[in-house]
């Protein structure tokens, strides 16, 4: 074996002073963190962090030396711990600091930088690593793991733990670990060295970080398996997270996820117990209340479902306090905000109120539905729309969220159902006034997409997307349809006929590129309002037949028959809520005679 590195040691006096500065700063911070309120604690954290980083930069300004590395790595770990807590997240600079620290370790060991870029492997395979360096190195392993978990890189963390423990097992003679080991198993087996009495003082030890990583990995793995549908694996991981030392806000999230998992597995009573635990554990009531509403809807308990949604609206109306900085690093710091598809996402107050309003309408609570819709419109008009935002925005994050014009239309439909026809007309007029400039004069659809002839008046620049113009045209057409129904309710038949005519005129502005319905691309816009909904398709078929567009009507009829043969006529939820209400109010006369005439037309030979 070649002799070890020969870098000269640092002067003992300097090393002692640097060590005393680190220890004093950490002890000073511990006193403030234990006995002070949040403002003073945050101010002290900034002061201590600045001093630690100043010390680190002085150390980095010198050539790396083996005698100084244990202190240097400890100062680096302390600065990273405090910096991530203050920022409430890990940042790119933290990763760069770890990388620079590892490069200085290899430089002090007089080892070349690996071409593969795997600094961790090169360090732990080096025979000249001293026992004094292992403690801060394991601490940096924990910080690197925390950073990778927040960056959704669990496989990299598993590989790093294999490298670390192979070195330990090689010294003890135990069997080597394989990279295929499960991350949770690796974290459970990882046994970082304990600090010696004469070691530099640290803010957070590696074993504490190990426990945080284990809880975080179990929770994130459970959420992932739940999202992809591996319910048994999700249940196992989430139960491990629930049994660990979770802070109360995280424990509430774990119980909520367990409730969602058990609901999907068909265990509603067990799911409900976990949701109750979530409500007891955490300050955020939104996710468990929304999950409870899903559970009650699945069980058919409509009253309990609506009660949960009402409580959800109340919970989301309370302003959420900003999260204070976390010291030391905890599970909360490593868990990303939930995506809209997650069971932990409760949405906004507007979305919750919309969900309550639509469920009231669907379950026949029409009076409450109207009040909820009107409150929602008032909320929207006082918020984003009064600030000049286009009303074609989504009500909340996520592609499944309704858009603001759809809320107008559903409000109008609900008002018609309860007989408030004048109010329905007013709501539609408000919507039309906001989208009139976005409705194109002509819109052509084809396999290559859509193109349009703009309206006569200049439109806002955000509306140049043809698909957006199509949406605006459909919303305007539906508004006229609802206005027609409102006039029917008022007994104003002439006005009703005018509105129905405007509805059709808007729909017929959309033309296929080849002048006929193209069944591969959806063709006529009437077919794309009704695709998959048999009731709506029958209405469209009836209108087209009366307008002498018999070829188009026959094409839709053939599609309907094919869907019926494939048993695809179950169309619940395929139509927008406001059109469902329209379809329920309109009755087709002589439906069977029309279908018989269509069948005769299909059997009749075409003229040469």
């Amino acid at each position: 074996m070649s002799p070890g590195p020969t870098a000269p040691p640092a002067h003992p006096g300097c090393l002692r002073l640097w060590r005393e500065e680190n220890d004093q700063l950490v002890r000073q911070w511990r006193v403030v963190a234990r006995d002070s309120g949040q403002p003073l604690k945050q101010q002290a954290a900034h002061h201590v962090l600045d001093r630690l980083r100043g010390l680190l930069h002085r150390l980095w300004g010198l050539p790396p030396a083996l005698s100084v590395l244990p202190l240097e790595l400890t100062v680096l770990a302390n600065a990273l711990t405090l910096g991530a807590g203050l920022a409430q997240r890990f940042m790119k600079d933290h990763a760069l600091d770890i990388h620079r620290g590892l490069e200085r370790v290899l430089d002090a060991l007089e080892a070349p930088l690996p071409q593969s870029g795997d600094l961790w492997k090169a360090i732990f395979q080096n025979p000249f690593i001293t026992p004094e360096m292992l403690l801060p190195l394991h601490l940096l392993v924990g910080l690197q793991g925390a950073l990778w978990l927040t960056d959704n890189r669990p496989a990299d963390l598993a590989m790093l733990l294999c490298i670390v423990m192979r070195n330990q097992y090689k010294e003890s003679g135990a069997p080597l670990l394989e990279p295929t080991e499960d991350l949770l198993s690796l974290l459970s087996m990882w046994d970082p060295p304990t600090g010696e009495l004469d070691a530099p003082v640290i803010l957070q030890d590696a074993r504490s970080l190990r426990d945080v990583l284990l809880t975080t990995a179990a929770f994130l793995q459970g959420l992932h398996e739940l999202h992809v549908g591996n319910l048994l694996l999700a249940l196992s991981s989430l139960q491990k997270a629930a049994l660990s030392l979770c802070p109360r806000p995280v424990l509430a999230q774990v119980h909520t996820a367990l409730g969602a998992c058990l609901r999907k597995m068909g265990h509603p009573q067990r799911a409900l117990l976990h949701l109750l635990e979530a409500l007891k554990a955490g300050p955020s009531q939104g996710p468990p209340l929304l999950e409870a509403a899903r559970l009650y809807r699945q069980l058919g308990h409509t009253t309990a479902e609506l009660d949960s949604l009402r409580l959800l609206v109340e919970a989301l109306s309370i302003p959420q306090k900003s999260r204070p900085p976390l010291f030391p690093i905890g599970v909360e710091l490593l868990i990303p905000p939930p995506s809209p598809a997650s069971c932990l996402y409760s949405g906004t107050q507007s979305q919750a109120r919309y969900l309550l309003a639509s469920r009231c309408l669907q379950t026949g609570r029409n009076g409450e539905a109207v009040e909820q819709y009107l409150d929602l419109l008032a909320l929207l008009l006082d918020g984003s729309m009064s600030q000049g935002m286009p009303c074609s925005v989504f009500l909340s994050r996520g592609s499944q969220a309704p858009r603001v014009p759809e809320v107008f239309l559903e409000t109008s439909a609900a008002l018609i159902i309860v007989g408030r026809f004048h109010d329905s007309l007013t709501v539609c007029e408000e919507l039309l006034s906001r989208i009139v400039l976005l409705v194109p004069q002509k819109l052509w659809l084809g396999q290559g997409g859509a193109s349009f002839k703009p309206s006569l008046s200049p439109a806002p620049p955000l509306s140049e997307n043809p698909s957006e113009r199509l949406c605006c045209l459909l919303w305007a057409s539906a508004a006229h349809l609802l206005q027609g129904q409102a006039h029917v309710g008022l007994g104003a038949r002439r006005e009703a006929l005018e509105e129905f005519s405007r509805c059709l005129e808007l729909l017929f502005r959309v033309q296929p590129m080849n002048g006929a319905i193209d069944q591969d691309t959806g063709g006529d816009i009437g077919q794309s309002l009704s695709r998959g909904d048999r009731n709506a398709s029958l209405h469209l078929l009836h209108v087209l037949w009366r307008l002498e567009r018999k070829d188009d009507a026959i094409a839709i009829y053939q599609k309907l028959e094919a869907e019926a043969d494939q048993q695809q006529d179950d169309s619940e939820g395929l139509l927008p809520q406001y059109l469902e209400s329209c379809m329920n109010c309109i009755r087709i006369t002589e439906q069977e005679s029309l279908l018989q005439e269509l069948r005769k037309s299909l059997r009749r030979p075409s003229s040469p």
Side-chain angles (χ1 to χ4, degrees):
M1 179 181 294
S2 60
T6 58
H11 191 278
C14 294
L15 185 58
R16 186 184 70 254
L17 291 175
W18 296 330
R19 160 75 181 272
E20 289 175 354
E21 183 176 356
N22 171 81
D23 294 356
Q24 180 185 5
L25 288 171
V26 173
R27 292 191 178 105
Q28 175 186 342
W29 162 246
R30 285 178 176 174
V31 172
V32 175
R34 183 180 64 246
D35 301 331
S36 304
Q38 191 59 45
L40 183 58
K41 186 186 300 185
Q42 193 163 347
Q43 181 181 355
H46 281 287
H47 170 73
V48 172
L49 178 59
D50 289 342
R51 295 282 303 276
L52 285 172
R53 293 204 66 86
L55 174 58
L56 181 63
H57 289 155
R58 293 202 303 273
L59 294 172
W60 278 353
L62 301 172
L66 287 179
S67 60
V68 184
L69 275 179
L71 174 62
E72 180 180 318
L73 296 178
T74 300
V75 175
L76 171 59
N78 288 338
L80 289 171
T81 301
L82 205 55
L86 269 174
Q88 302 189 53
R89 60 190 177 96
F90 281 94
M91 298 184 293
K92 184 178 180 180
D93 286 346
H94 298 147
L96 295 176
D97 287 344
I98 293 176
H99 190 271
R100 183 176 180 182
L102 298 181
E103 287 183 336
R104 285 178 62 83
V105 171
L106 290 175
D107 194 6
L109 293 169
E110 298 181 359
L113 293 178
Q115 293 185 353
S116 64
D118 194 342
L119 304 181
W120 285 110
K121 186 175 183 180
I123 288 173
F124 277 98
Q125 288 182 347
N126 192 288
F128 299 110
I129 292 291
T130 63
E132 294 78 13
M133 290 172 57
L134 283 178
L135 177 62
L137 278 174
H138 276 262
L139 186 53
L140 285 179
V141 166
L143 291 167
Q144 178 75 84
L147 195 151
W148 277 342
L149 280 184
T150 61
D151 204 24
N152 194 26
R153 296 169 61 182
D156 290 337
L157 174 55
M159 185 66 71
L160 173 56
L161 291 173
C162 282
I163 293 171
V164 171
M165 286 184 283
R166 277 178 181 174
N167 179 66
Q168 292 179 332
Y169 286 10
K170 182 172 61 176
E171 295 177 355
S172 64
L176 296 181
L177 293 173
E178 295 298 326
T180 55
E181 290 281 349
D182 176 67
L183 176 58
L184 299 185
S185 301
L186 290 169
L187 284 168
S188 300
M189 292 184 289
W190 179 31
D191 187 24
T194 56
E196 301 294 336
L197 291 178
D198 59 344
V201 182
I202 56 177
L203 277 171
Q204 185 173 9
D205 61 65
R207 291 180 177 239
S208 169
L209 270 176
R210 187 261 325 267
D211 294 339
V212 169
L213 294 180
L214 183 57
T215 301
T216 305
F219 184 35
L220 294 179
Q221 182 173 308
L223 289 178
H224 171 73
E225 299 297 349
L226 178 60
H227 179 70
V228 300
N230 296 330
L231 299 183
L232 287 176
L233 291 175
L235 183 63
S236 174
S237 297
L238 291 171
Q239 286 174 337
K240 290 177 183 177
L243 293 174
S244 63
L245 296 176
C246 281
R248 291 180 66 85
V250 176
L251 187 60
Q253 291 183 303
V254 173
H255 280 299
T256 302
L258 279 168
C261 183
L262 289 166
R263 173 181 63 84
K264 293 181 179 182
M265 295 177 72
H267 302 296
Q269 297 304 323
R270 291 174 60 193
L272 188 57
L273 291 176
H274 281 286
L275 295 177
L276 290 174
E277 290 297 323
L279 290 171
K280 295 177 186 176
S284 178
Q285 307 278 293
L289 285 172
L290 182 55
E291 183 56 37
R294 296 189 186 107
L295 174 63
Y296 287 128
R297 182 175 184 180
Q298 184 174 308
L299 294 174
H301 297 169
T302 304
T303 300
E305 176 198 353
L306 295 180
D307 286 341
S308 298
L309 291 176
R310 294 185 190 100
L311 290 173
L312 175 64
V313 171
E314 293 180 14
L316 294 178
S317 65
I318 301 173
Q320 296 294 313
K321 296 181 180 179
S322 59
R323 188 179 70 182
L326 296 171
F327 312 110
I329 291 173
V331 181
E332 306 101 304
L333 194 72
L334 309 186
I335 297 176
S339 68
S342 171
C343 63
L344 302 179
Y345 178 71
S346 57
T348 62
Q349 181 191 0
S350 297
Q351 188 177 15
R353 194 174 290 278
Y354 169 79
L355 184 57
L356 175 58
S358 61
R359 287 298 294 148
C360 286
L361 189 61
Q362 292 164 7
T363 56
R365 275 88 165 166
N366 299 325
E368 183 178 0
V370 166
E371 297 308 317
Q372 294 293 343
Y373 274 120
L374 291 176
D375 288 345
L376 175 58
L377 276 185
L379 185 66
L380 295 173
L381 291 171
D382 288 341
S384 64
M385 296 183 62
S386 65
Q387 299 169 12
M389 293 179 64
C391 69
S392 58
V393 298
F394 286 100
L395 188 60
S396 65
R397 291 185 297 164
S399 59
Q400 299 302 315
R403 302 180 74 167
V404 173
E406 294 169 350
V407 177
F408 274 84
L409 294 170
E410 290 184 30
T411 304
S412 176
L415 288 165
I416 290 173
I417 291 174
V418 298
R420 295 173 60 175
F421 303 116
H422 287 292
D423 293 335
S424 176
L425 291 171
T426 301
V427 170
C428 286
E429 283 298 331
E430 180 69 23
L431 172 61
L432 289 170
S433 69
R434 293 177 179 274
I435 63 175
V436 63
L437 298 181
L438 307 178
V439 179
Q441 290 295 307
K442 216 62 164 170
L443 191 70
W444 290 273
L445 296 181
Q447 291 183 346
S451 61
F452 65 91
K453 178 182 178 181
S455 59
L456 298 179
S457 302
L462 292 176
S463 64
E464 294 306 313
N465 186 339
S467 63
E468 285 295 296
R469 289 299 191 99
L470 174 59
C471 289
C472 292
L473 186 147
L474 294 176
W475 292 326
S477 177
H480 286 298
L481 174 63
L482 290 170
Q483 285 187 314
Q485 283 190 268
H487 282 301
V488 169
L490 292 170
R493 296 187 177 276
R494 186 182 68 181
E495 289 82 356
L497 183 59
E498 289 176 356
E499 295 298 336
F500 291 143
S501 298
R502 289 173 186 164
C503 169
L504 289 175
E505 186 271 327
L506 286 172
L507 288 178
F508 292 139
R509 288 186 188 183
V510 184
Q511 297 293 331
M513 290 292 192
N514 57 5
I517 289 183
D518 184 333
Q519 296 189 46
D520 293 330
T521 61
D524 189 291
I525 188 57
Q527 188 172 358
S528 68
L529 270 165
S530 66
R531 185 184 296 117
D533 187 279
R534 184 174 182 83
N535 193 23
S537 296
L538 287 172
H539 283 285
L540 176 61
L541 186 153
H542 184 249
V543 170
L544 291 173
W545 190 262
R546 294 187 61 180
L547 290 173
E548 298 296 326
R549 293 180 58 173
K550 296 190 176 182
D551 290 340
D552 294 346
I554 289 173
I556 292 177
Y557 172 75
Q558 290 174 325
K559 181 175 178 60
L560 275 175
E561 292 297 301
E563 289 178 351
D565 292 340
Q566 299 170 16
Q567 298 182 344
Q568 294 180 350
D569 58 345
D570 182 10
S571 59
E572 182 181 358
L574 292 178
L575 273 183
Q577 180 70 38
Y578 54 87
L579 288 184
E580 287 280 1
S581 304
C582 291
M583 295 302 103
N584 293 333
C585 294
I586 301 174
R587 296 289 181 265
I588 299 179
T589 58
E590 302 176 354
Q591 174 178 305
E592 187 56 38
S593 62
L594 172 61
L595 294 178
Q596 289 179 359
E597 188 171 354
L598 280 165
R599 294 187 188 104
K600 290 179 183 177
S601 298
L602 288 174
R603 289 195 297 266
R604 190 180 305 135
S606 57
S607 56

